[in-house]
Amino acid sequence: MNSKNWLDKVKWDANGLVPVIVQQELSNDVLMFAWMNREALLKTLELERAVYFSRSRNKLWFKGEVSGHLQYVREVRLDCDQDVVLLKIEQISNIACHTGRHSCFFWKFKGSLDRGNWVSVDPVLKDPENIYL
């Protein structure tokens, strides 16, 4: 029996990817959304650190490799349809977003349907110019 049959449970898309929601373990804050291929999921479980697949660079992306904002994986879940992965992580430095914010979900819709707008509601914790030198 193949020891990696559990990987076949995941419903990978036509490009061999699965969406990943990243949630901070203790606060349950949703920090970011990313993609994984089989190799990224395997590396994530092997290293107990978040490893994603960068579609723009077409390669594995070891979260925090450049920024230092590592994500230590505490739990991995698969949704009921088996087509979305949830990572519960410990976020190092409390910054998950490349903009220097805690979460990538910092735009909030405010106003009415005809006069609404997206407003940034979370502060920049560290200037991105000082993160990616």
Side-chain angles (χ1 to χ4, degrees):
M1 181 175 189
N2 181 349
S3 62
K4 298 205 175 52
N5 278 347
W6 58 270
L7 275 171
D8 295 332
K9 279 278 213 197
V10 178
K11 291 183 182 165
W12 308 96
D13 72 8
N15 297 313
L17 302 174
V18 66
V20 182
I21 299 168
V22 183
Q23 184 178 40
Q24 192 159 344
E25 177 189 36
L26 297 177
S27 68
N28 288 325
D29 291 347
V30 175
L31 300 180
M32 56 182 275
F33 170 88
W35 296 92
M36 283 184 173
N37 62 8
R38 291 171 80 96
E39 185 181 4
L41 184 53
L42 279 169
K43 284 280 184 205
T44 293
L45 291 167
E46 175 187 324
L47 300 173
E48 296 180 350
R49 269 187 48 210
V51 179
Y52 305 109
F53 182 80
S54 170
R55 295 180 304 162
S56 60
R57 292 175 289 200
N58 198 35
K59 68 177 194 170
L60 292 184
W61 160 35
F62 291 75
K63 177 67 174 165
E65 186 173 45
V66 175
S67 67
H69 304 148
L70 301 171
Q71 294 177 342
Y72 290 106
V73 177
R74 302 299 182 223
E75 190 174 334
V76 180
R77 294 185 181 209
L78 190 60
D79 80 325
C80 59
D81 294 323
Q82 301 171 334
D83 61 0
V84 179
V85 170
L86 172 69
L87 293 186
K88 290 195 169 232
I89 57 98
E90 176 189 348
Q91 179 67 57
I92 301 304
S93 79
N94 207 32
I95 297 173
C97 186
H98 74 281
T99 65
R101 290 176 175 85
H102 172 62
S103 170
C104 293
F105 296 94
F106 60 87
W107 294 108
K108 182 177 182 178
F109 182 80
K110 289 195 173 184
S112 62
L113 291 179
D114 58 343
R115 293 188 182 201
N117 203 354
W118 294 102
V119 178
S120 175
V121 294
D122 294 339
V124 173
L125 301 175
K126 187 171 184 179
D127 184 340
E129 298 282 329
N130 296 322
I131 295 173
Y132 304 98
L133 302 174

